[in-house]
Amino acid sequence: MRIRALGVIDDAVVELSPGFTVVTGETGAGKTMVVTSLGLLLGGRADPALVRNGAERAVVEGRVLLPLGSPVATRALEAGAELDDGALLLSRTVSAEGRSRAHIGGRSVPMSLLASLGEDLIAVHGQTDQQRLLQPARQRGALDRYAGDGVALPLTEYQSAYRRLREVTALLDELTTRARERAQEADLLRYGLDEVAAAEPLAGEDTELAAESERLGHADALSSAAQLAHGALAGEPADPDAVDAGTLLAQARRALESVRHHDPRLAALADRVEEVGYLLGDIAGDLAGYADDLDADPARLAAVEERRAVLAHLVRKYGSQEGGLAEVLEWAEEAATRLTELDGDDDRIVALEAEQESLHGRVSGLAGQLTAARQGAADAFAKAVTAELTELAMPHARVSFGITPAEDFGPYGVDEVEVLLQPHPGSPPRPIAKGASGGELSRVMLAVEVVFAGADPVPTYLFDEVDAGVGGKAAVEVGRRLARLARTSQVIVVTHLPQVAAFADRHLVVEKTVDGTVTRSGVTTLSDAQRVRELSRMLAGLEDSELGRAHAEELLAAARTAAAPPNG
């Protein structure tokens, strides 16, 4: 993996080759810059404080070599990324304002995708991760991860059944605890539906009744106006001398008819006058019929107003002035549906109780399968971790798992899982949160990761001072174990221990320089001679001490011999 960081570590380029790479430096020299860069590159939280004062942005770039058919490569290609000779180019930019952008294979992608791919590319472990290991949920997760499909498959079924059980239980609680409220709601709906049904309203009836009320209330005026208009158009029999529109129109027609053959234009006008005559006759006839049909009926008007009052009452209770009777009918339809639901609650409760009982039995059975799978995996996991602790200078330590039933089912079953450590014979197994020192916890953490490397490997492991609290012979064993892990994976270790650093295939040192105004971090790959000098500094605090150099050379030689594969 190749890391390039701009702004975070100035313009330094760090080449991380396969095998075991160690990063050291004096206190405050920024050894964790590699951790910071990788964290950003793999979707970690962006902190604008990483950008140097005066700079616009910080950039981290990485080149990751992926085997053919790698799941990471497949997912990246599906996201539109392109591979460069089998390598995936990653990039992360953080602006001074805190904005962050991610690119994979030249394609801009969401930060979530970068973080998701990062989980399959590298396992990062530091002292914070050690503290997380103390959490029971993390310990259960570690055991489940080790168990693989033995737990994963029944857990998927369990969680599906568990979610449905929670849904059914919540619905039953609502139906039973709110029974009184639901009964009251049903009574109100039933009363309202009875009131609407008694009125038997029809769609559009309110509009028709309003029009009829308006007509009946002004019947005399309407009749008088119709008769007067009829007389003006067709004449009044009682007054034969009165001039009406029909008579005048007939005169106009006769005048035009006598001369129409002299001019086609005038003939067209004569035809139009004739049409108007026919239309006027029709209108006059309709006015006569309207006047004859119109009857001022006080009894009918009273009945209409009474009906309108009934409908208005319904609108006030179950609708609105704007929605009118249509809204009342809509309410009645919805209320009938809701009442059917409420009236069916007893049947629903019976059905849900039966489903709840069935689900409870299924969840219980699957939880039992999970417990059995975890117990089987716990024995193998504990045995493997204990064997690793023997290699890490804890020959008498024993690791075991305490798996006890919880009070009730949870999203991951009914098991409470806790890692127990027995540091030496005669001492009782205790939770690692209480029974492990800092150095012991570091070694337990490393042992767990080494076991995972065989069961669920990732391409790269990054340990940020995971050897804290370890020294002497134990530190040598930690270095030896890291070197062994590096035979199958890329291992990057940030450390302050020379015993660990001596086992590395490659040694990087971080140094800070100050020119009076700006502090810069630089990364150097050490030659063999420079490495002896750095180890001497780490051992004795003196780079040019003869004794320190001799000790460093001896330490390097011993580490190379100890880390050599069994076959040579």
Side-chain angles (χ1 to χ4, degrees):
M1 183 177 291
R2 178 179 183 273
I3 303 298
R4 176 179 176 84
L6 307 179
V8 179
I9 50 174
D10 306 310
D11 197 10
V13 178
V14 183
E15 295 287 350
L16 299 176
S17 61
F20 185 177
T21 299
V22 70
V23 182
T24 65
E26 294 183 4
T27 302
K31 297 187 297 298
T32 56
M33 65 172 189
V34 174
V35 180
T36 302
S37 299
L38 280 173
L40 283 172
L41 195 63
L42 300 175
R45 186 179 67 87
D47 185 355
L50 296 172
V51 183
R52 179 180 295 284
N53 290 335
E56 294 182 358
R57 65 184 63 85
V59 179
V60 183
E61 297 174 343
R63 185 171 183 269
V64 183
L65 298 176
L66 298 173
L68 187 64
S70 163
V72 173
T74 301
R75 292 170 61 193
L77 291 172
E78 290 174 351
E82 295 182 1
L83 298 182
D84 181 16
D85 293 331
L88 183 63
L89 302 180
L90 308 178
S91 175
R92 178 78 177 277
T93 303
V94 181
S95 71
E97 292 79 20
R99 293 188 299 272
S100 178
R101 293 183 179 179
H103 290 81
I104 297 177
R107 180 70 175 268
S108 179
V109 297
M111 208 63 59
S112 57
L113 177 60
L114 193 64
S116 177
L117 294 181
E119 292 178 356
D120 294 329
L121 287 173
I122 187 168
V124 180
H125 293 283
Q127 295 189 50
T128 301
D129 300 278
Q130 292 183 20
Q131 297 304 313
R132 291 175 182 169
L133 186 62
L134 301 180
Q135 301 171 6
R138 293 277 179 174
Q139 296 173 11
R140 179 203 48 75
L143 178 59
D144 288 355
R145 177 184 164 194
Y146 178 81
D149 289 345
V151 166
L153 296 180
L155 180 60
T156 300
E157 295 184 43
Y158 170 86
Q159 289 180 331
S160 176
Y162 175 74
R163 284 192 297 268
R164 179 55 186 166
L165 177 60
R166 285 176 59 89
E167 293 171 1
V168 169
T169 300
L171 188 53
L172 270 174
D173 288 343
E174 180 185 2
L175 290 175
T176 54
T177 59
R178 295 184 55 199
R180 182 176 179 181
E181 296 176 19
R182 297 169 76 87
Q184 291 175 344
E185 181 185 359
D187 287 344
L188 289 174
L189 291 174
R190 194 173 288 106
Y191 176 83
L193 287 170
D194 289 344
E195 192 172 14
V196 173
E200 298 182 344
L202 301 175
E205 183 183 2
D206 53 344
T207 302
E208 294 176 3
L209 288 175
E212 186 177 1
S213 173
E214 186 74 10
R215 186 172 64 254
L216 291 173
H218 300 82
D220 292 340
L222 293 172
S223 178
S224 177
Q227 291 173 0
L228 182 62
H230 177 268
L233 296 179
E236 287 286 349
D239 186 7
D241 296 329
V243 180
D244 59 81
T247 301
L248 295 175
L249 193 60
Q251 292 176 359
R253 181 181 176 188
R254 287 193 296 272
L256 295 176
E257 283 293 330
S258 63
V259 293
R260 63 177 294 163
H261 59 279
H262 297 303
D263 187 356
R265 184 180 177 187
L266 186 64
L269 293 173
D271 291 340
R272 292 173 64 185
V273 170
E274 185 178 5
E275 292 175 3
V276 171
Y278 293 143
L279 181 61
L280 187 147
D282 290 341
I283 295 174
D286 289 343
L287 285 171
Y290 177 81
D292 291 341
D293 293 340
L294 192 63
D295 184 17
D297 186 351
R300 174 57 185 168
L301 178 60
V304 167
E305 293 301 327
E306 183 179 354
R307 178 62 175 172
R308 292 186 68 197
V310 170
L311 297 181
H313 173 74
L314 294 179
V315 170
R316 284 194 300 271
K317 291 186 69 174
Y318 309 110
S320 67
Q321 194 65 33
E322 295 77 14
L325 189 60
E327 193 169 316
V328 173
L329 295 173
E330 182 179 355
W331 174 88
E333 184 177 351
E334 294 176 354
T337 302
R338 175 61 175 163
L339 184 59
T340 300
E341 293 178 2
L342 294 173
D343 287 343
D345 277 354
D346 290 343
D347 294 336
R348 290 180 70 197
I349 288 174
V350 172
L352 287 171
E353 285 177 342
E355 184 180 4
Q356 183 187 45
E357 183 177 355
S358 174
L359 285 168
H360 194 279
R362 177 165 175 74
V363 166
S364 179
L366 289 169
Q369 293 181 34
L370 286 173
T371 300
R374 284 177 177 141
Q375 288 174 340
D379 293 339
F381 193 13
K383 183 177 179 180
V385 173
T386 297
E388 289 297 329
L389 289 178
T390 300
E391 297 283 345
L392 293 172
M394 294 178 65
H396 303 297
R398 295 291 180 271
V399 169
S400 59
F401 278 87
I403 301 178
T404 56
E407 294 182 358
D408 198 0
F409 298 112
Y412 295 95
V414 73
D415 302 321
E416 291 185 349
V417 178
E418 197 165 31
V419 179
L420 306 176
L421 176 67
Q422 183 182 17
H424 48 80
S427 63
R430 301 183 63 192
I432 57 173
K434 301 176 181 177
S437 65
E440 289 171 338
L441 184 57
S442 295
R443 281 177 278 177
V444 171
M445 181 79 174
L446 178 57
V448 167
E449 202 54 64
V450 169
V451 172
F452 277 148
D456 185 19
V458 295
T460 300
Y461 292 89
L462 173 61
F463 295 94
D464 182 17
E465 297 192 5
V466 73
D467 50 17
V470 176
K473 182 180 179 182
V476 173
E477 295 303 329
V478 169
R480 190 199 313 271
R481 207 65 194 88
L482 289 169
R484 192 176 302 173
L485 180 61
R487 294 175 190 168
T488 57
S489 300
Q490 182 182 30
V491 175
I492 305 162
V493 178
V494 177
T495 184
H496 64 281
L497 293 179
Q499 296 95 330
V500 173
F503 280 87
D505 302 315
R506 200 165 189 228
H507 194 144
L508 305 179
V509 65
V510 182
E511 298 175 320
K512 280 189 176 181
T513 59
V514 182
D515 62 7
T517 57
V518 178
T519 301
R520 297 183 181 276
S521 297
V523 184
T524 304
T525 301
L526 301 183
S527 65
D528 288 344
Q530 291 171 325
R531 192 172 180 189
V532 170
R533 188 178 181 186
E534 172 66 7
L535 289 176
S536 177
R537 180 197 64 78
M538 297 173 69
L539 283 164
L542 300 172
E543 298 177 354
D544 298 319
S545 166
E546 290 296 331
L547 290 176
R549 292 173 65 85
H551 190 183
E553 291 173 349
E554 180 183 1
L555 185 60
L556 276 171
R560 287 167 181 163
T561 300
N567 59 0

